[in-house]
Amino acid sequence: MEEAIQKMQAEALAAIDAAQDEDALERIRVTYMGKKSRLVALTKGIKDLDDAQKRVVGPIVQKAKQAIVQALTRKREELETARDAQAEWIDVTAPGTKVRRGHLHPLTLVQRDIENIFTTMGFAIVDGPEVETEFYNFDAVNVPKEHPARDMQDTFWIQTANNNARQVLRTHTTSVQVRYMQQHTPPFRIIIPGRVFRQEATDSTHEHTFHQFEALVVGDDVSVANFLDIAQSFFSAFFKKDIKVRLRPSYFPFVEPGFEFDINCTKCGGPENAKGCSACKGNGWLEIGGAGMVHQNVFVAAGYKRNRYQGFAWGFGLERLAMMKYKIDDIRHFHSGDVRVGAQFR
Ligand code: DAH
């Protein structure tokens, strides 16, 4: 009997020692100490022994019980500590959770790009008000009242008490030209990026609120050749490829002569490979904006002497350029407020 007990105790202790988790330990406890365990069976048998045997076997069983209970307690504590440690464990090599960061709007990206290119070419960046007087938006740039050219741009008029100082939401960045020239004497070269407004229905290429980009270079002997060279340098730097600029005669009241200018298609490269090109509809050129030699009436409005200076100016839509660069197919995305649009162009 003694031997049987000791063997059972040794087995129990070995099993407890080897237990991997708390469930396994509980099964071991049931096996060795539970109601149907051998230990209980042995304990029950004690009462049938004679007194002398009882005195020998009793303490052995008692000791075995104690040893097993102690071992169980110790092991349980050990496993619990291990479990807690596991719960607290931090894997310092695990990849972190990404913090969502804000991003710049594609128009801001394009504007910064443009500003960087022009500042390296010696241009200053100039600003002007979005709510503008009728004078700077129209009269000063040679668009007199009653002149049919006023109808070229559908204007948002601001209600003002004084009808002699009528105000508009500026229809173009050309409005800043005379403001700047009144304060500065040539030579100078400036760019004027800014928001402009037109009262018109929106579609995939028209918005009532959009951005333009004006350039103005004035000096003693500024020519169309200078315009072509600066435009070509700018567009080549902007699209990071060799770009050619083409002029077509056109009319804008603030310039004479006036042009519309195109660049060779940034997708197919130009007329030679344009067949079937979706970007330029097969003709090899993309319309960009208007340009020309500053009309002497504009210089006079700024307070310069007629025929004292020469200059060129150009203006075009920033959205259109951003659409070309980032392959955006609808101008309305820019002001949609949908952050998914901008998030693609970090
Ligand atoms: N202001 C014109 C527009 O909004 C664009 C423009 C054309 C600007 C010719 C110029 C220019 O400076 O020379 O459509």
Side-chain angles (χ1 to χ4, degrees), residues 65-277:
K65 242 183 172 170
Q66 266 172 19
I68 294 172
V69 168
Q70 260 175 26
L72 279 170
T73 312
R74 202 168 6 87
K75 186 70 182 184
R76 185 168 297 120
E77 276 167 10
E78 201 178 283
L79 288 171
E80 268 169 16
T81 318
R83 170 160 53 79
D84 289 351
Q86 181 76 28
E88 274 173 28
W89 181 72
I90 295 168
D91 180 359
V92 291
T93 66
T97 353
K98 272 208 178 139
V99 178
R100 273 179 52 151
R101 290 179 56 190
H103 52 82
L104 294 174
H105 192 278
L107 283 178
T108 310
L109 292 174
V110 166
Q111 186 175 326
R112 287 191 179 181
D113 230 14
I114 297 176
E115 290 178 357
N116 280 339
I117 298 169
F118 274 100
T119 41
T120 60
M121 295 198 285
F123 281 69
I125 302 166
V126 172
D127 233 341
E130 291 176 352
V131 176
E132 185 54 283
T133 61
E134 181 179 20
F135 175 75
Y136 286 116
N137 195 79
F138 290 126
D139 303 82
V141 291
N142 200 31
V143 191
K145 296 185 184 58
E146 321 309 335
H147 191 286
R150 284 228 178 166
D151 301 337
M152 284 168 78
Q153 300 173 351
D154 299 299
T155 309
F156 285 114
W157 291 91
I158 308 272
Q159 269 188 351
T160 42
N162 178 1
N163 226 23
N164 293 323
R166 293 206 295 171
Q167 291 188 316
V168 298
L169 291 183
R170 66 175 177 199
T171 56
H172 51 189
T173 43
T174 310
S175 63
V176 187
Q177 287 191 9
V178 169
R179 273 186 180 280
Y180 182 86
M181 289 196 278
Q182 284 178 331
Q183 309 288 333
H184 298 83
T185 308
F188 59 77
R189 40 181 103 179
I190 61 169
I191 52 170
I192 312 158
R195 192 154 62 145
V196 301
F197 310 84
R198 302 273 171 95
Q199 185 166 12
E200 54 187 13
T202 61
D203 60 31
S204 66
T205 55
H206 294 88
E207 263 284 22
H208 48 72
T209 301
F210 58 102
H211 295 75
Q212 276 192 342
F213 192 84
E214 192 93 2
L216 179 65
V217 175
V218 182
D220 288 332
D221 50 6
V222 176
S223 69
V224 175
N226 297 139
F227 161 72
L228 265 180
D229 183 60
I230 287 180
Q232 252 153 222
S233 306
F234 162 67
F235 286 106
S236 299
F238 182 78
F239 286 108
K240 299 191 171 65
K241 54 171 97 161
D242 220 14
I243 299 282
K244 294 256 170 312
V245 172
R246 173 177 86 161
L247 301 181
R248 284 177 289 116
S250 183
Y251 172 76
F252 297 97
F254 18 89
V255 283
E256 176 59 33
F259 316 106
E260 268 174 77
F261 68 99
D262 307 330
I263 60 171
N264 59 302
C265 180
T266 52
K267 190 169 181 197
C268 66
E272 302 83 47
N273 307 311
K275 217 170 161 220
C277 176

Side-chain angles (χ1 to χ4, degrees), residues 32-68:
Y32 291 98
M33 310 276 293
K35 278 188 195 138
K36 292 179 183 156
S37 63
R38 273 165 61 206
L39 187 76
V40 171
L42 286 168
T43 332
K44 275 183 190 149
I46 293 177
K47 65 179 189 325
D48 303 326
L49 301 173
D50 61 32
D51 283 356
Q53 281 175 318
K54 269 185 193 161
R55 264 193 293 280
V56 179
V57 176
I60 294 176
V61 171
Q62 218 43 46
K63 263 199 193 143
K65 242 183 172 170
Q66 266 172 19
I68 294 172

Side-chain angles (χ1 to χ4, degrees), residues 292-319:
M293 296 305 291
V294 178
H295 200 292
Q296 289 299 325
N297 287 354
V298 177
F299 288 145
V300 169
Y304 299 168
K305 259 178 71 185
R306 188 174 294 279
N307 297 327
R308 169 68 185 83
Y309 297 110
Q310 292 179 338
F312 72 76
W314 92 44
F316 59 80
L318 213 66
E319 277 82 354

